mmCIF file with all atom_site columns, all heavy atoms in Angstrom:
data_model
loop_
_atom_site.group_PDB
_atom_site.id
_atom_site.type_symbol
_atom_site.label_atom_id
_atom_site.label_alt_id
_atom_site.label_comp_id
_atom_site.label_asym_id
_atom_site.label_entity_id
_atom_site.label_seq_id
_atom_site.pdbx_PDB_ins_code
_atom_site.Cartn_x
_atom_site.Cartn_y
_atom_site.Cartn_z
_atom_site.occupancy
_atom_site.B_iso_or_equiv
_atom_site.pdbx_formal_charge
_atom_site.auth_seq_id
_atom_site.auth_comp_id
_atom_site.auth_asym_id
_atom_site.auth_atom_id
_atom_site.pdbx_PDB_model_num
ATOM 1   N N   . THR A 1 1  ? -0.878  -13.693 86.239 1.00 98.00 ? 918 THR A N   1
ATOM 2   C CA  . THR A 1 1  ? -1.176  -12.608 85.211 1.00 98.00 ? 918 THR A CA  1
ATOM 3   C C   . THR A 1 1  ? -1.315  -13.095 83.898 1.00 98.00 ? 918 THR A C   1
ATOM 4   O O   . THR A 1 1  ? -0.421  -13.624 83.326 1.00 98.00 ? 918 THR A O   1
ATOM 5   C CB  . THR A 1 1  ? -0.142  -11.439 85.260 1.00 98.00 ? 918 THR A CB  1
ATOM 6   O OG1 . THR A 1 1  ? -0.158  -10.960 86.774 1.00 98.00 ? 918 THR A OG1 1
ATOM 7   C CG2 . THR A 1 1  ? -0.505  -10.391 84.354 1.00 98.00 ? 918 THR A CG2 1
ATOM 8   N N   . ALA A 1 2  ? -2.505  -12.828 83.234 1.00 98.00 ? 919 ALA A N   1
ATOM 9   C CA  . ALA A 1 2  ? -2.773  -13.321 81.880 1.00 98.00 ? 919 ALA A CA  1
ATOM 10  C C   . ALA A 1 2  ? -4.187  -12.827 81.480 1.00 98.00 ? 919 ALA A C   1
ATOM 11  O O   . ALA A 1 2  ? -4.948  -12.349 82.333 1.00 98.00 ? 919 ALA A O   1
ATOM 12  C CB  . ALA A 1 2  ? -2.700  -14.779 81.834 1.00 98.00 ? 919 ALA A CB  1
ATOM 13  N N   . ILE A 1 3  ? -4.501  -13.096 80.218 1.00 98.00 ? 920 ILE A N   1
ATOM 14  C CA  . ILE A 1 3  ? -5.841  -12.899 79.771 1.00 98.00 ? 920 ILE A CA  1
ATOM 15  C C   . ILE A 1 3  ? -6.477  -14.306 80.004 1.00 98.00 ? 920 ILE A C   1
ATOM 16  O O   . ILE A 1 3  ? -5.945  -15.292 79.388 1.00 98.00 ? 920 ILE A O   1
ATOM 17  C CB  . ILE A 1 3  ? -5.891  -12.453 78.277 1.00 98.00 ? 920 ILE A CB  1
ATOM 18  C CG1 . ILE A 1 3  ? -5.150  -11.108 78.136 1.00 98.00 ? 920 ILE A CG1 1
ATOM 19  C CG2 . ILE A 1 3  ? -7.334  -12.391 77.841 1.00 98.00 ? 920 ILE A CG2 1
ATOM 20  C CD1 . ILE A 1 3  ? -5.108  -10.667 76.718 1.00 98.00 ? 920 ILE A CD1 1
ATOM 21  N N   . TYR A 1 4  ? -7.622  -14.289 80.509 1.00 98.00 ? 921 TYR A N   1
ATOM 22  C CA  . TYR A 1 4  ? -8.345  -15.528 80.821 1.00 98.00 ? 921 TYR A CA  1
ATOM 23  C C   . TYR A 1 4  ? -9.607  -15.609 79.867 1.00 98.00 ? 921 TYR A C   1
ATOM 24  O O   . TYR A 1 4  ? -10.308 -14.656 79.676 1.00 98.00 ? 921 TYR A O   1
ATOM 25  C CB  . TYR A 1 4  ? -8.866  -15.607 82.285 1.00 98.00 ? 921 TYR A CB  1
ATOM 26  C CG  . TYR A 1 4  ? -7.731  -15.878 83.208 1.00 98.00 ? 921 TYR A CG  1
ATOM 27  C CD1 . TYR A 1 4  ? -6.698  -14.975 83.500 1.00 98.00 ? 921 TYR A CD1 1
ATOM 28  C CD2 . TYR A 1 4  ? -7.674  -17.116 83.814 1.00 98.00 ? 921 TYR A CD2 1
ATOM 29  C CE1 . TYR A 1 4  ? -5.708  -15.213 84.429 1.00 98.00 ? 921 TYR A CE1 1
ATOM 30  C CE2 . TYR A 1 4  ? -6.628  -17.408 84.748 1.00 98.00 ? 921 TYR A CE2 1
ATOM 31  C CZ  . TYR A 1 4  ? -5.628  -16.422 85.029 1.00 98.00 ? 921 TYR A CZ  1
ATOM 32  O OH  . TYR A 1 4  ? -4.656  -16.763 85.891 1.00 98.00 ? 921 TYR A OH  1
ATOM 33  N N   . TYR A 1 5  ? -9.772  -16.854 79.158 1.00 98.00 ? 922 TYR A N   1
ATOM 34  C CA  . TYR A 1 5  ? -10.776 -17.066 78.215 1.00 98.00 ? 922 TYR A CA  1
ATOM 35  C C   . TYR A 1 5  ? -11.675 -18.236 78.692 1.00 98.00 ? 922 TYR A C   1
ATOM 36  O O   . TYR A 1 5  ? -11.191 -19.207 79.157 1.00 98.00 ? 922 TYR A O   1
ATOM 37  C CB  . TYR A 1 5  ? -10.097 -17.455 76.852 1.00 98.00 ? 922 TYR A CB  1
ATOM 38  C CG  . TYR A 1 5  ? -9.237  -16.365 76.249 1.00 98.00 ? 922 TYR A CG  1
ATOM 39  C CD1 . TYR A 1 5  ? -7.863  -16.323 76.529 1.00 98.00 ? 922 TYR A CD1 1
ATOM 40  C CD2 . TYR A 1 5  ? -9.791  -15.391 75.398 1.00 98.00 ? 922 TYR A CD2 1
ATOM 41  C CE1 . TYR A 1 5  ? -7.141  -15.424 75.940 1.00 98.00 ? 922 TYR A CE1 1
ATOM 42  C CE2 . TYR A 1 5  ? -8.960  -14.437 74.768 1.00 98.00 ? 922 TYR A CE2 1
ATOM 43  C CZ  . TYR A 1 5  ? -7.570  -14.464 75.005 1.00 98.00 ? 922 TYR A CZ  1
ATOM 44  O OH  . TYR A 1 5  ? -6.806  -13.531 74.529 1.00 98.00 ? 922 TYR A OH  1
ATOM 45  N N   . CYS A 1 6  ? -12.899 -17.937 78.514 1.00 98.00 ? 923 CYS A N   1
ATOM 46  C CA  . CYS A 1 6  ? -13.915 -18.955 78.681 1.00 98.00 ? 923 CYS A CA  1
ATOM 47  C C   . CYS A 1 6  ? -14.034 -19.830 77.406 1.00 98.00 ? 923 CYS A C   1
ATOM 48  O O   . CYS A 1 6  ? -14.005 -19.333 76.294 1.00 98.00 ? 923 CYS A O   1
ATOM 49  C CB  . CYS A 1 6  ? -15.215 -18.423 79.055 1.00 98.00 ? 923 CYS A CB  1
ATOM 50  S SG  . CYS A 1 6  ? -16.619 -19.523 79.160 1.00 98.00 ? 923 CYS A SG  1
ATOM 51  N N   . ASN A 1 7  ? -14.169 -21.149 77.570 1.00 97.00 ? 924 ASN A N   1
ATOM 52  C CA  . ASN A 1 7  ? -14.287 -22.056 76.448 1.00 97.00 ? 924 ASN A CA  1
ATOM 53  C C   . ASN A 1 7  ? -15.469 -23.043 76.670 1.00 97.00 ? 924 ASN A C   1
ATOM 54  O O   . ASN A 1 7  ? -15.570 -23.591 77.724 1.00 97.00 ? 924 ASN A O   1
ATOM 55  C CB  . ASN A 1 7  ? -12.871 -22.835 76.245 1.00 97.00 ? 924 ASN A CB  1
ATOM 56  C CG  . ASN A 1 7  ? -13.068 -23.855 75.267 1.00 97.00 ? 924 ASN A CG  1
ATOM 57  O OD1 . ASN A 1 7  ? -13.152 -25.090 75.632 1.00 97.00 ? 924 ASN A OD1 1
ATOM 58  N ND2 . ASN A 1 7  ? -12.872 -23.564 73.951 1.00 97.00 ? 924 ASN A ND2 1
ATOM 59  N N   . ALA A 1 8  ? -16.129 -23.418 75.593 1.00 95.00 ? 925 ALA A N   1
ATOM 60  C CA  . ALA A 1 8  ? -17.078 -24.465 75.554 1.00 95.00 ? 925 ALA A CA  1
ATOM 61  C C   . ALA A 1 8  ? -16.773 -25.356 74.416 1.00 95.00 ? 925 ALA A C   1
ATOM 62  O O   . ALA A 1 8  ? -16.484 -24.910 73.329 1.00 95.00 ? 925 ALA A O   1
ATOM 63  C CB  . ALA A 1 8  ? -18.489 -23.784 75.408 1.00 95.00 ? 925 ALA A CB  1
ATOM 64  N N   . LYS A 1 9  ? -16.956 -26.640 74.643 1.00 94.00 ? 926 LYS A N   1
ATOM 65  C CA  . LYS A 1 9  ? -16.830 -27.632 73.636 1.00 94.00 ? 926 LYS A CA  1
ATOM 66  C C   . LYS A 1 9  ? -18.058 -28.481 73.597 1.00 94.00 ? 926 LYS A C   1
ATOM 67  O O   . LYS A 1 9  ? -18.629 -29.067 74.557 1.00 94.00 ? 926 LYS A O   1
ATOM 68  C CB  . LYS A 1 9  ? -15.666 -28.633 73.980 1.00 94.00 ? 926 LYS A CB  1
ATOM 69  C CG  . LYS A 1 9  ? -14.314 -27.894 74.091 1.00 94.00 ? 926 LYS A CG  1
ATOM 70  C CD  . LYS A 1 9  ? -13.235 -28.883 74.351 1.00 94.00 ? 926 LYS A CD  1
ATOM 71  C CE  . LYS A 1 9  ? -11.901 -28.263 74.567 1.00 94.00 ? 926 LYS A CE  1
ATOM 72  N NZ  . LYS A 1 9  ? -11.373 -27.459 73.458 1.00 94.00 ? 926 LYS A NZ  1
ATOM 73  N N   . ILE A 1 10 ? -18.707 -28.517 72.351 1.00 91.00 ? 927 ILE A N   1
ATOM 74  C CA  . ILE A 1 10 ? -20.017 -29.214 72.122 1.00 91.00 ? 927 ILE A CA  1
ATOM 75  C C   . ILE A 1 10 ? -19.798 -30.325 71.023 1.00 91.00 ? 927 ILE A C   1
ATOM 76  O O   . ILE A 1 10 ? -19.289 -30.085 70.063 1.00 91.00 ? 927 ILE A O   1
ATOM 77  C CB  . ILE A 1 10 ? -21.036 -28.240 71.772 1.00 91.00 ? 927 ILE A CB  1
ATOM 78  C CG1 . ILE A 1 10 ? -21.189 -27.119 72.822 1.00 91.00 ? 927 ILE A CG1 1
ATOM 79  C CG2 . ILE A 1 10 ? -22.333 -28.938 71.409 1.00 91.00 ? 927 ILE A CG2 1
ATOM 80  C CD1 . ILE A 1 10 ? -22.142 -26.048 72.411 1.00 91.00 ? 927 ILE A CD1 1
ATOM 81  N N   . ARG A 1 11 ? -20.360 -31.495 71.305 1.00 87.00 ? 928 ARG A N   1
ATOM 82  C CA  . ARG A 1 11 ? -20.243 -32.628 70.447 1.00 87.00 ? 928 ARG A CA  1
ATOM 83  C C   . ARG A 1 11 ? -20.899 -32.281 69.116 1.00 87.00 ? 928 ARG A C   1
ATOM 84  O O   . ARG A 1 11 ? -21.983 -31.687 69.071 1.00 87.00 ? 928 ARG A O   1
ATOM 85  C CB  . ARG A 1 11 ? -20.832 -33.888 71.037 1.00 87.00 ? 928 ARG A CB  1
ATOM 86  C CG  . ARG A 1 11 ? -19.991 -34.492 72.089 1.00 87.00 ? 928 ARG A CG  1
ATOM 87  C CD  . ARG A 1 11 ? -18.750 -35.225 71.561 1.00 87.00 ? 928 ARG A CD  1
ATOM 88  N NE  . ARG A 1 11 ? -19.069 -36.248 70.626 1.00 87.00 ? 928 ARG A NE  1
ATOM 89  C CZ  . ARG A 1 11 ? -19.442 -37.445 70.974 1.00 87.00 ? 928 ARG A CZ  1
ATOM 90  N NH1 . ARG A 1 11 ? -19.429 -37.837 72.242 1.00 87.00 ? 928 ARG A NH1 1
ATOM 91  N NH2 . ARG A 1 11 ? -19.693 -38.367 70.062 1.00 87.00 ? 928 ARG A NH2 1
ATOM 92  N N   . SER A 1 12 ? -20.259 -32.644 67.991 1.00 82.00 ? 929 SER A N   1
ATOM 93  C CA  . SER A 1 12 ? -20.882 -32.448 66.684 1.00 82.00 ? 929 SER A CA  1
ATOM 94  C C   . SER A 1 12 ? -20.935 -33.796 65.907 1.00 82.00 ? 929 SER A C   1
ATOM 95  O O   . SER A 1 12 ? -20.193 -34.698 66.203 1.00 82.00 ? 929 SER A O   1
ATOM 96  C CB  . SER A 1 12 ? -19.995 -31.486 65.874 1.00 82.00 ? 929 SER A CB  1
ATOM 97  O OG  . SER A 1 12 ? -20.388 -31.426 64.517 1.00 82.00 ? 929 SER A OG  1
ATOM 98  N N   . ALA A 1 13 ? -21.933 -33.857 65.095 1.00 83.00 ? 930 ALA A N   1
ATOM 99  C CA  . ALA A 1 13 ? -22.064 -35.085 64.280 1.00 83.00 ? 930 ALA A CA  1
ATOM 100 C C   . ALA A 1 13 ? -20.961 -35.247 63.203 1.00 83.00 ? 930 ALA A C   1
ATOM 101 O O   . ALA A 1 13 ? -20.765 -36.381 62.751 1.00 83.00 ? 930 ALA A O   1
ATOM 102 C CB  . ALA A 1 13 ? -23.498 -35.099 63.540 1.00 83.00 ? 930 ALA A CB  1
ATOM 103 N N   . TYR A 1 14 ? -20.264 -34.125 62.915 1.00 84.00 ? 931 TYR A N   1
ATOM 104 C CA  . TYR A 1 14 ? -19.215 -34.061 61.860 1.00 84.00 ? 931 TYR A CA  1
ATOM 105 C C   . TYR A 1 14 ? -17.881 -33.904 62.358 1.00 84.00 ? 931 TYR A C   1
ATOM 106 O O   . TYR A 1 14 ? -16.912 -34.412 61.757 1.00 84.00 ? 931 TYR A O   1
ATOM 107 C CB  . TYR A 1 14 ? -19.596 -33.087 60.876 1.00 84.00 ? 931 TYR A CB  1
ATOM 108 C CG  . TYR A 1 14 ? -21.054 -33.013 60.340 1.00 84.00 ? 931 TYR A CG  1
ATOM 109 C CD1 . TYR A 1 14 ? -21.948 -32.114 60.934 1.00 84.00 ? 931 TYR A CD1 1
ATOM 110 C CD2 . TYR A 1 14 ? -21.452 -33.926 59.450 1.00 84.00 ? 931 TYR A CD2 1
ATOM 111 C CE1 . TYR A 1 14 ? -23.269 -32.086 60.452 1.00 84.00 ? 931 TYR A CE1 1
ATOM 112 C CE2 . TYR A 1 14 ? -22.726 -33.995 58.989 1.00 84.00 ? 931 TYR A CE2 1
ATOM 113 C CZ  . TYR A 1 14 ? -23.601 -33.075 59.510 1.00 84.00 ? 931 TYR A CZ  1
ATOM 114 O OH  . TYR A 1 14 ? -25.009 -33.106 59.133 1.00 84.00 ? 931 TYR A OH  1
ATOM 115 N N   . ILE A 1 15 ? -17.710 -33.348 63.525 1.00 80.00 ? 932 ILE A N   1
ATOM 116 C CA  . ILE A 1 15 ? -16.538 -32.972 64.115 1.00 80.00 ? 932 ILE A CA  1
ATOM 117 C C   . ILE A 1 15 ? -16.516 -33.527 65.629 1.00 80.00 ? 932 ILE A C   1
ATOM 118 O O   . ILE A 1 15 ? -17.672 -33.513 66.186 1.00 80.00 ? 932 ILE A O   1
ATOM 119 C CB  . ILE A 1 15 ? -16.016 -31.546 64.055 1.00 80.00 ? 932 ILE A CB  1
ATOM 120 C CG1 . ILE A 1 15 ? -16.116 -31.038 62.676 1.00 80.00 ? 932 ILE A CG1 1
ATOM 121 C CG2 . ILE A 1 15 ? -14.576 -31.418 64.591 1.00 80.00 ? 932 ILE A CG2 1
ATOM 122 C CD1 . ILE A 1 15 ? -15.850 -29.571 62.379 1.00 80.00 ? 932 ILE A CD1 1
ATOM 123 N N   . SER A 1 16 ? -15.427 -33.991 66.178 1.00 85.00 ? 933 SER A N   1
ATOM 124 C CA  . SER A 1 16 ? -15.406 -34.406 67.518 1.00 85.00 ? 933 SER A CA  1
ATOM 125 C C   . SER A 1 16 ? -16.048 -33.389 68.401 1.00 85.00 ? 933 SER A C   1
ATOM 126 O O   . SER A 1 16 ? -16.962 -33.765 69.273 1.00 85.00 ? 933 SER A O   1
ATOM 127 C CB  . SER A 1 16 ? -13.929 -34.797 67.942 1.00 85.00 ? 933 SER A CB  1
ATOM 128 O OG  . SER A 1 16 ? -13.190 -33.720 67.806 1.00 85.00 ? 933 SER A OG  1
ATOM 129 N N   . TYR A 1 17 ? -15.542 -32.201 68.420 1.00 88.00 ? 934 TYR A N   1
ATOM 130 C CA  . TYR A 1 17 ? -16.180 -31.075 69.230 1.00 88.00 ? 934 TYR A CA  1
ATOM 131 C C   . TYR A 1 17 ? -16.064 -29.818 68.431 1.00 88.00 ? 934 TYR A C   1
ATOM 132 O O   . TYR A 1 17 ? -15.136 -29.591 67.641 1.00 88.00 ? 934 TYR A O   1
ATOM 133 C CB  . TYR A 1 17 ? -15.318 -30.899 70.464 1.00 88.00 ? 934 TYR A CB  1
ATOM 134 C CG  . TYR A 1 17 ? -15.467 -31.983 71.530 1.00 88.00 ? 934 TYR A CG  1
ATOM 135 C CD1 . TYR A 1 17 ? -14.673 -33.050 71.683 1.00 88.00 ? 934 TYR A CD1 1
ATOM 136 C CD2 . TYR A 1 17 ? -16.656 -31.868 72.453 1.00 88.00 ? 934 TYR A CD2 1
ATOM 137 C CE1 . TYR A 1 17 ? -14.870 -34.016 72.686 1.00 88.00 ? 934 TYR A CE1 1
ATOM 138 C CE2 . TYR A 1 17 ? -16.777 -32.899 73.414 1.00 88.00 ? 934 TYR A CE2 1
ATOM 139 C CZ  . TYR A 1 17 ? -15.923 -33.997 73.523 1.00 88.00 ? 934 TYR A CZ  1
ATOM 140 O OH  . TYR A 1 17 ? -16.067 -34.839 74.485 1.00 88.00 ? 934 TYR A OH  1
ATOM 141 N N   . LEU A 1 18 ? -17.136 -28.885 68.685 1.00 91.00 ? 935 LEU A N   1
ATOM 142 C CA  . LEU A 1 18 ? -17.102 -27.576 68.212 1.00 91.00 ? 935 LEU A CA  1
ATOM 143 C C   . LEU A 1 18 ? -16.642 -26.662 69.388 1.00 91.00 ? 935 LEU A C   1
ATOM 144 O O   . LEU A 1 18 ? -17.065 -26.824 70.500 1.00 91.00 ? 935 LEU A O   1
ATOM 145 C CB  . LEU A 1 18 ? -18.427 -27.131 67.716 1.00 91.00 ? 935 LEU A CB  1
ATOM 146 C CG  . LEU A 1 18 ? -18.963 -27.844 66.402 1.00 91.00 ? 935 LEU A CG  1
ATOM 147 C CD1 . LEU A 1 18 ? -20.372 -27.329 66.099 1.00 91.00 ? 935 LEU A CD1 1
ATOM 148 C CD2 . LEU A 1 18 ? -18.109 -27.463 65.211 1.00 91.00 ? 935 LEU A CD2 1
ATOM 149 N N   . ASP A 1 19 ? -15.707 -25.837 69.070 1.00 93.00 ? 936 ASP A N   1
ATOM 150 C CA  . ASP A 1 19 ? -15.139 -24.922 70.108 1.00 93.00 ? 936 ASP A CA  1
ATOM 151 C C   . ASP A 1 19 ? -15.730 -23.495 70.057 1.00 93.00 ? 936 ASP A C   1
ATOM 152 O O   . ASP A 1 19 ? -15.871 -22.956 68.969 1.00 93.00 ? 936 ASP A O   1
ATOM 153 C CB  . ASP A 1 19 ? -13.704 -24.780 69.970 1.00 93.00 ? 936 ASP A CB  1
ATOM 154 C CG  . ASP A 1 19 ? -12.904 -25.911 70.694 1.00 93.00 ? 936 ASP A CG  1
ATOM 155 O OD1 . ASP A 1 19 ? -12.983 -25.960 71.972 1.00 93.00 ? 936 ASP A OD1 1
ATOM 156 O OD2 . ASP A 1 19 ? -12.104 -26.682 70.033 1.00 93.00 ? 936 ASP A OD2 1
ATOM 157 N N   . TYR A 1 20 ? -16.159 -22.958 71.209 1.00 96.00 ? 937 TYR A N   1
ATOM 158 C CA  . TYR A 1 20 ? -16.616 -21.596 71.314 1.00 96.00 ? 937 TYR A CA  1
ATOM 159 C C   . TYR A 1 20 ? -15.762 -20.865 72.444 1.00 96.00 ? 937 TYR A C   1
ATOM 160 O O   . TYR A 1 20 ? -15.460 -21.459 73.353 1.00 96.00 ? 937 TYR A O   1
ATOM 161 C CB  . TYR A 1 20 ? -18.070 -21.597 71.708 1.00 96.00 ? 937 TYR A CB  1
ATOM 162 C CG  . TYR A 1 20 ? -18.979 -22.239 70.633 1.00 96.00 ? 937 TYR A CG  1
ATOM 163 C CD1 . TYR A 1 20 ? -19.196 -23.594 70.759 1.00 96.00 ? 937 TYR A CD1 1
ATOM 164 C CD2 . TYR A 1 20 ? -19.530 -21.531 69.643 1.00 96.00 ? 937 TYR A CD2 1
ATOM 165 C CE1 . TYR A 1 20 ? -20.044 -24.231 69.893 1.00 96.00 ? 937 TYR A CE1 1
ATOM 166 C CE2 . TYR A 1 20 ? -20.347 -22.160 68.711 1.00 96.00 ? 937 TYR A CE2 1
ATOM 167 C CZ  . TYR A 1 20 ? -20.600 -23.524 68.858 1.00 96.00 ? 937 TYR A CZ  1
ATOM 168 O OH  . TYR A 1 20 ? -21.304 -24.110 67.940 1.00 96.00 ? 937 TYR A OH  1
ATOM 169 N N   . TRP A 1 21 ? -15.486 -19.613 72.135 1.00 97.00 ? 938 TRP A N   1
ATOM 170 C CA  . TRP A 1 21 ? -14.623 -18.872 73.004 1.00 97.00 ? 938 TRP A CA  1
ATOM 171 C C   . TRP A 1 21 ? -15.246 -17.479 73.421 1.00 97.00 ? 938 TRP A C   1
ATOM 172 O O   . TRP A 1 21 ? -16.021 -16.867 72.673 1.00 97.00 ? 938 TRP A O   1
ATOM 173 C CB  . TRP A 1 21 ? -13.355 -18.563 72.411 1.00 97.00 ? 938 TRP A CB  1
ATOM 174 C CG  . TRP A 1 21 ? -12.443 -19.769 72.029 1.00 97.00 ? 938 TRP A CG  1
ATOM 175 C CD1 . TRP A 1 21 ? -12.506 -20.501 70.922 1.00 97.00 ? 938 TRP A CD1 1
ATOM 176 C CD2 . TRP A 1 21 ? -11.482 -20.321 72.939 1.00 97.00 ? 938 TRP A CD2 1
ATOM 177 N NE1 . TRP A 1 21 ? -11.568 -21.534 71.066 1.00 97.00 ? 938 TRP A NE1 1
ATOM 178 C CE2 . TRP A 1 21 ? -10.978 -21.421 72.211 1.00 97.00 ? 938 TRP A CE2 1
ATOM 179 C CE3 . TRP A 1 21 ? -11.024 -20.018 74.167 1.00 97.00 ? 938 TRP A CE3 1
ATOM 180 C CZ2 . TRP A 1 21 ? -9.952  -22.336 72.776 1.00 97.00 ? 938 TRP A CZ2 1
ATOM 181 C CZ3 . TRP A 1 21 ? -10.031 -20.823 74.744 1.00 97.00 ? 938 TRP A CZ3 1
ATOM 182 C CH2 . TRP A 1 21 ? -9.529  -21.967 74.040 1.00 97.00 ? 938 TRP A CH2 1
ATOM 183 N N   . GLY A 1 22 ? -15.022 -17.107 74.630 1.00 97.00 ? 939 GLY A N   1
ATOM 184 C CA  . GLY A 1 22 ? -15.363 -15.755 75.085 1.00 97.00 ? 939 GLY A CA  1
ATOM 185 C C   . GLY A 1 22 ? -14.311 -14.721 74.561 1.00 97.00 ? 939 GLY A C   1
ATOM 186 O O   . GLY A 1 22 ? -13.380 -15.146 73.965 1.00 97.00 ? 939 GLY A O   1
ATOM 187 N N   . GLN A 1 23 ? -14.515 -13.510 74.849 1.00 97.00 ? 940 GLN A N   1
ATOM 188 C CA  . GLN A 1 23 ? -13.625 -12.417 74.438 1.00 97.00 ? 940 GLN A CA  1
ATOM 189 C C   . GLN A 1 23 ? -12.382 -12.244 75.283 1.00 97.00 ? 940 GLN A C   1
ATOM 190 O O   . GLN A 1 23 ? -11.420 -11.673 74.717 1.00 97.00 ? 940 GLN A O   1
ATOM 191 C CB  . GLN A 1 23 ? -14.466 -11.049 74.458 1.00 97.00 ? 940 GLN A CB  1
ATOM 192 C CG  . GLN A 1 23 ? -14.556 -10.391 75.776 1.00 97.00 ? 940 GLN A CG  1
ATOM 193 C CD  . GLN A 1 23 ? -15.597 -11.065 76.629 1.00 97.00 ? 940 GLN A CD  1
ATOM 194 O OE1 . GLN A 1 23 ? -16.364 -11.927 76.309 1.00 97.00 ? 940 GLN A OE1 1
ATOM 195 N NE2 . GLN A 1 23 ? -15.758 -10.537 77.929 1.00 97.00 ? 940 GLN A NE2 1
ATOM 196 N N   . GLY A 1 24 ? -12.325 -12.848 76.397 1.00 97.00 ? 941 GLY A N   1
ATOM 197 C CA  . GLY A 1 24 ? -11.192 -12.757 77.246 1.00 97.00 ? 941 GLY A CA  1
ATOM 198 C C   . GLY A 1 24 ? -11.326 -11.618 78.291 1.00 97.00 ? 941 GLY A C   1
ATOM 199 O O   . GLY A 1 24 ? -11.946 -10.636 78.033 1.00 97.00 ? 941 GLY A O   1
#
């Protein structure tokens, strides 16, 4: 039992990864 979140990590030229999240 929990709130489940979708996550995406995309490589960036300036940061190792950019994080994106769903609403849960």
Side-chain angles (χ1 to χ4, degrees):
T918 296
I920 301 175
Y921 285 71
Y922 297 91
C923 177
N924 171 260
K926 301 182 186 296
I927 301 177
R928 288 285 302 277
S929 169
Y931 310 103
I932 308 173
S933 58
Y934 286 97
L935 292 175
D936 273 294
Y937 299 89
W938 296 91
Q940 77 284 357

